[in-house]
Amino acid sequence: MEISVFHEHMRKKVRQVVTVSFAGAAGLGLGPAGAGIAAAGSLPAPVPVVTDYQYLSASTTPPTESDCFSGGRRCFTPASMQASYNVGPLYAAGHAGQGVTVAIVDSFGNPNMASDLGNFDTQMGLPHMCGEPGVTCTAGMPTFQHVYWNGKTQVKAPPPGSNGTGSQTRNIWALETSLDVEWVHTIAPQANILLMTTNPAETLGVQGFPAMMNAEQFIVDHHEASVISQSFAAAEETFASTQSLLNLRHAFISAANNGVTVLGSSGDSGTANSSFTPVKNPATIPFPTVEWPASDPLVTGVGGTYLCTDPVTGTGVDSTDPPVNCQSNPGVREVGWIASGGGFSHVFAKPSYQGTLPAGSTAIDAMRGVPDVAYQASSRTGVLVYDTAPGDAESGLTCPSGNPCSAGWYVVGGTSSSCPQWAGLVAIADQIAGHGLGQVNPALYALASGPNYGTYFYDVTTGNNQLDPSVPGYPATTGWDPVTGLGTPNAATLVPALASH
């Protein structure tokens, strides 16, 4: 289908799932003149930031909380997560993202996404979206569209004996996609969702980042969305040169100039990231590092926590039920997640908006501090996700080789959970403001540094992100810290303040 036809569909809010295949932005002349793309072989492959999950059930109905407890975890539903972050008052005021589109960019995608979303919505009592199978579309209904940027791909696990890094494993990306779509919709249930998936060649994973950035450039240039959620990352040190990383920033620069907010997961390795080489047994970078795109000053980096609220009601603090991370911190609402990516960039200087921090914050010296904010992330206090793309249902709680091999319900974590939910909050802020907010980091830091910090954010002061004992980590502290940033959102107060700032 030609791109002009796609836009005609978008203008008319097409009432079916769009499965358009684009040749790629390079052939369309997208991006600023002279914004070169590094040669193949000089870029890392983007990795889905969903490394924390457990298979629970093949049923169409979700597992019970006791099922989750039996695995040493607690599982959050949309209702309990909405209550945990105080989103309800926004809905009561008529603010659920109406008229705003969130774009989700992933590799490969989930070919069953529309039907999986349909079952998720049925089971969780969420509004159905135009684009789900069997849904009769009505005026004002939010739309779900899946656009294939440069071709479809078959969902599959790595072949037996594969020496690959796993970054090209399509069934992991399918679970990532399910998480992103279902949980953007959870937080902003009336927002439109544009899922844009890229298809880098299996043996040319280094092409993944340029394809993703070109897809985002297209979204910005054609005003397809005012919020972009990115649940992928790679350590800054895995790029062959600083310039090869900087060549990829064109979409972020355009987004900042066009009122589009870009968010990115801060990573799931704490301060210890992999170099991707040697391929069979990648080496750990022996000093603290952060991941891009979250480290980019034009991106809102989202870190993670263990969420110790009641998993059924979302209210209060539950220090009795699993996991041990909540039981070991009685009375504490949230604990910094051990794997929350964070630290200080080795590429980007400290942006001006980080010049003023809440009292008691960890100091940010010359370089950009990561992340900016946080949200629930660990699968030990994870979210329920429905994904049938793997297709090969197998018994037991753990799939072979650690891959999501079975169709059904998973409890999922990672900053891949944090980022899309924050994107949903920004969509609601866009609705309140009546326009795209663009860069939100200056407003976030200004609000946090003012007298009402404690009304806008839950300050997370417990935990650390030293996942690997051989690589120094950081503690969560009062105010900003390199584990949870400024903290997690009290949505009812923060989102309207963000919209009016």
Side-chain angles (χ1 to χ4, degrees):
M1 184 178 293
E2 295 180 356
I3 292 175
S4 61
V5 177
F6 166 62
H7 286 295
E8 184 63 23
H9 283 327
M10 291 291 283
R11 284 191 293 271
K12 294 180 178 179
K13 293 190 181 295
V14 60
R15 300 316 193 200
Q16 72 262 3
V17 179
V18 177
T19 55
V20 185
S21 178
F22 294 146
L28 300 172
L30 299 181
I37 297 299
S42 61
L43 296 176
V47 175
V49 192
V50 57
T51 57
D52 198 27
Y53 51 82
Q54 185 173 32
Y55 178 65
L56 294 177
S57 169
S59 173
T60 56
T61 57
T64 65
E65 201 60 46
S66 61
D67 293 331
C68 295
F69 289 166
S70 69
R73 305 164 186 264
R74 66 182 70 182
C75 298
F76 285 87
T77 65
S80 59
M81 187 63 73
Q82 291 163 353
S84 292
Y85 288 110
N86 199 23
V87 192
L90 298 176
Y91 303 152
H95 305 313
Q98 292 92 326
V100 177
T101 299
V102 178
I104 296 167
V105 179
D106 282 316
S107 284
F108 310 126
N110 172 0
N112 302 342
M113 192 64 253
S115 58
D116 285 354
L117 176 62
N119 184 61
F120 184 84
D121 290 346
T122 295
Q123 302 299 330
M124 297 300 186
L126 291 171
H128 285 282
M129 301 188 75
C130 176
E132 294 174 12
V135 169
T136 299
C137 301
T138 59
M141 178 181 286
T143 61
F144 169 72
Q145 299 183 75
H146 185 176
V147 176
Y148 292 87
W149 174 247
N150 51 359
K152 296 183 183 181
T153 186
Q154 178 185 355
V155 175
K156 60 182 180 180
S162 169
N163 289 328
T165 63
S167 62
Q168 300 294 305
T169 304
R170 286 143 167 80
N171 56 341
I172 294 179
W173 280 103
L175 183 61
E176 171 69 70
T177 301
S178 300
L179 169 66
D180 291 347
V181 170
E182 290 166 10
W183 283 86
V184 164
H185 184 50
T186 289
I187 299 303
Q190 294 298 327
N192 305 313
I193 295 176
L194 171 61
L195 172 62
M196 184 80 84
T197 56
T198 61
N199 184 25
E202 177 70 18
T203 57
L204 294 175
V206 292
Q207 295 182 355
F209 270 123
M212 287 171 157
M213 295 302 104
N214 288 339
E216 292 185 22
Q217 184 75 54
F218 181 91
I219 289 166
V220 173
D221 288 347
H222 296 273
H223 311 291
E224 306 294 2
S226 61
V227 185
I228 298 176
S229 178
Q230 304 172 116
S231 291
F232 53 84
E236 291 176 339
E237 276 71 15
T238 60
F239 291 82
S241 66
T242 297
Q243 190 59 49
S244 67
L245 186 157
L246 297 178
N247 287 344
L248 295 168
R249 302 184 70 225
H250 53 88
F252 302 157
I253 295 169
S254 296
N257 292 329
N258 284 275
V260 177
T261 305
V262 185
L263 301 100
S265 302
S266 70
D268 294 355
S269 301
T271 57
N273 290 295
S274 168
S275 65
F276 295 118
T277 55
V279 172
K280 186 65 176 177
N281 187 24
T284 298
I285 300 168
F287 49 85
T289 53
V290 295
E291 298 199 341
W292 186 85
S295 69
D296 199 298
L298 299 178
V299 173
T300 299
V302 187
T305 68
Y306 302 94
L307 179 60
C308 300
T309 55
D310 187 300
V312 177
T313 66
T315 58
V317 175
D318 175 3
S319 304
T320 302
D321 292 318
V324 66
N325 313 82
C326 295
Q327 297 166 335
S328 299
N329 293 279
V332 176
R333 170 194 158 86
E334 292 182 77
V335 178
W337 184 40
I338 187 68
S340 177
F344 300 92
S345 175
H346 295 150
V347 174
F348 300 103
K350 179 174 72 175
S352 59
Y353 57 74
Q354 289 191 319
T356 304
L357 301 174
S361 294
T362 300
I364 300 177
D365 295 325
M367 304 303 285
R368 153 91 159 128
V370 185
D372 300 298
V373 290
Y375 207 93
Q376 168 278 328
S378 171
S379 74
R380 293 189 180 192
T381 61
V383 296
L384 291 172
V385 172
Y386 188 69
D387 170 24
T388 64
D392 300 322
E394 299 181 24
S395 61
L397 290 177
T398 305
C399 296
S401 305
N403 286 316
C405 59
S406 303
W409 290 95
Y410 290 78
V411 57
V412 184
T415 51
S416 282
S417 176
S418 315
C419 184
Q421 294 185 72
W422 252 100
L425 294 178
V426 175
I428 298 173
D430 284 359
Q431 180 203 347
I432 296 172
H435 57 82
L437 295 176
Q439 292 185 77
V440 296
N441 288 354
L444 290 170
Y445 283 87
L447 291 169
S449 299
N452 298 314
Y453 172 49
T455 67
Y456 297 136
F457 293 92
Y458 301 111
D459 189 9
V460 183
T461 61
T462 305
N464 67 80
N465 65 351
Q466 188 177 11
L467 184 63
D468 186 326
S470 70
V471 180
Y474 301 96
T477 64
T478 299
W480 184 89
D481 58 69
V483 185
T484 64
L486 297 169
T488 60
N490 182 342
T493 56
L494 177 60
V495 170
L498 187 60
S500 62
H501 198 275

